[in-house]
Amino acid sequence: MRSRSRLTGFFRLGIGERRRQVLEASGLPEHRLAAIEPGALPLEVADGMIENVIGEYSLPFAVAVNFVVDGAEVLVPMAIEEPSVVAASSNAARLARPGGFITEATPPVMIGQIQVVGIDDVDRAAVALRDAGASLLEDARRLVPRLTDRGAGPVGFDVRILARHPGPDGGVVVAHLNIDCRDAMGANLVNTLCEALAERVARIAGGRPALRILSNLTDGRLVTVRCRIEENDPEVRAAVASASRFAELDPYRATTHNKGIMNGVDAVLLATGQDWRAVEAGAHAYASRTGTYRPLAIWRDDGTALVGELVMPLAVGTVGGALHSHPAARLALELAGVDSAGKLAAVAGAAGLATNLAALRALATEGIQRGHMALHARGIARAAGATGDLVDRVAAELSASGDVKPDRAREIVARLKEFP
Ligand code: NAD
């Protein structure tokens, strides 16, 4: 059987042939690609999505190839403005074959916060709230009977004392309502339940209800992604493992290491219509959970292979949010063959671990600028007016000159057009 995601030489093809291969690999009918034609989002729909709309803003939509996630061949949809992310993740995914990326995830549990202020005795409030926890959970479950019937919905209740001493807010306690949101990101669901419970929670605590909203530190909704890259060169293995340890030792490096992970994660989130700000906020807060900012993924040399592991919160949904209205986001989910939030989190996490590996390998070996500049040069060549074959010729000359700048590109384009 033809591999669904191992599309050799995909990057060399024209857009038409790439589309043909993607349709063949995904089994989708051709008309579904209307969703990613320029102008596919009707202006009236855009106007209904946010406020003060005056137009639309486009980004390139691509698929990263070669991915195997939990044994399944996956085309990974990506929307991103930065060159080399799609190429780098496709390369890393090829290295990770045949085992590919293996994932596991916690249940998709989000945290809703109900803050209570002006409490005289926070210890008594905490005991009273814990005693009432089961009954509060029952109240919450009754509000979402369909989710509850499916074994999801409100699943836990915690209390945390935040301020003991009388300050501007008096004694402060926060109740956490843990909600299994299944295939929704869940912000609206969580917020609705927090609002519904707030009065009762405040009464039991003996204070005033204040904020009631989800937490974006979704540490109850984690995905773990592992992969193993056979690598014969002991120097490459050692260099990648050393680059990982650098990130483990230094928040300045860890931030850039994690940015490389988010290159892949965000590109998938954007393509699939997710709230990537929510995931970003959660990822960085989770990276700091020990009090020091740490890498979300680490790499080890096991003597014959590089073994990578990413753990991060990924609050995503395959129902709700922008998916109601955005045709390209729905197509992206179909291309990826993703029908649940858990599978989407697995694919986004795999993309993140792939871009992380690609960056570390490049940094640890040839230095990242060479590959990056080669791709950047193609963009500069196009912007300078190169089309067709000329793009590669101009890009090659730009890269060789080491001066990848628009002025230089315009000179080369003019010369090659005059003297082809
Ligand atoms: P939503 O409001 O569209 O609700 C999704 C609904 O889908 C659920 O309430 C449920 O009734 C229904 N549903 C159908 N099938 C389901 C299934 N299999 N599993 C779960 N639910 C199913 O979407 P949402 O996920 O509640 O909210 C996400 C939106 O909220 C995003 O657009 C986000 O940007 C926004 N938001 C985020 C924040 C934040 O992160 N701080 C705050 C407010 C709003």
Side-chain angles (χ1 to χ4, degrees), residues 150 181-189 214 216 275 278 319-321 324:
R150 291 162 53 201
C181 295
R182 284 289 108 168
D183 297 317
M185 182 270 193
N188 292 315
L189 171 70
L214 86 159
N216 285 114
D275 185 339
V319 293
H324 282 307

Side-chain angles (χ1 to χ4, degrees), residues 22-288:
V22 162
L23 288 176
E24 190 186 325
S26 64
L28 290 176
E30 191 174 355
H31 71 84
R32 290 293 290 112
L33 295 186
I36 47 172
E37 290 297 345
L41 180 66
L43 207 49
E44 317 81 78
V45 175
D47 195 27
M49 287 176 77
I50 61 166
E51 310 73 39
N52 298 6
V53 168
I54 59 165
E56 288 178 13
Y57 179 99
S58 301
L59 277 179
F61 182 101
V63 289
V65 295
N66 300 330
F67 275 81
V68 173
V69 182
D70 295 324
E73 304 255 343
V74 182
L75 292 173
V76 178
M78 292 190 168
I80 187 165
E81 87 297 343
E82 184 177 348
S84 76
V85 170
V86 178
S89 55
S90 300
N91 281 335
R94 181 176 48 78
L95 297 176
R97 292 173 79 96
F101 300 90
I102 307 294
T103 78
E104 59 190 73
T106 63
V109 175
M110 300 288 282
I111 298 166
Q113 294 197 295
I114 302 167
Q115 181 202 15
V116 185
V117 299
I119 301 172
D120 289 333
D121 183 343
V122 287
D123 294 305
R124 195 208 60 79
V127 170
L129 280 172
R130 284 191 189 109
D131 287 348
S135 146
L136 283 161
L137 262 181
E138 270 316 306
D139 277 4
R141 286 197 187 109
R142 269 195 291 275
L143 295 168
V144 282
R146 291 223 305 276
L147 268 179
T148 301
D149 285 349
R150 291 162 53 201
V155 290
F157 185 84
D158 289 331
V159 183
R160 295 166 55 232
I161 295 172
L162 296 187
R164 219 163 245 298
H165 305 295
D169 300 317
V172 182
V173 156
V174 65
H176 278 196
L177 184 60
N178 301 326
I179 304 166
D180 180 330
C181 295
R182 284 289 108 168
D183 297 317
M185 182 270 193
N188 292 315
L189 171 70
V190 173
N191 295 346
T192 305
L193 289 181
C194 287
E195 283 179 13
L197 256 57
E199 285 295 339
R200 190 172 164 215
V201 166
R203 209 167 39 245
I204 295 168
R208 298 190 305 280
L211 300 196
R212 329 113 216 245
I213 186 160
L214 86 159
S215 169
N216 285 114
L217 176 48
T218 54
D219 57 3
R221 196 171 188 175
L222 298 176
V223 66
T224 301
V225 183
R226 298 188 181 91
C227 74
R228 190 185 154 79
I229 311 286
E230 296 300 334
E231 174 58 72
N232 293 330
D233 186 339
E235 283 182 23
V236 172
R237 291 199 309 269
V240 170
S242 168
S244 174
R245 287 193 299 275
F246 179 14
E248 291 161 51
L249 290 169
D250 179 16
Y252 285 90
R253 174 57 211 156
T255 307
T256 322
H257 180 100
N258 287 347
K259 191 278 181 184
I261 293 169
M262 300 315 288
N263 273 343
V265 172
D266 282 343
V268 175
L269 299 182
L270 210 51
T272 55
Q274 305 300 310
D275 185 339
W276 49 271
R277 286 86 51 207
V279 174
E280 282 279 347
H284 301 297
Y286 184 73
S288 312

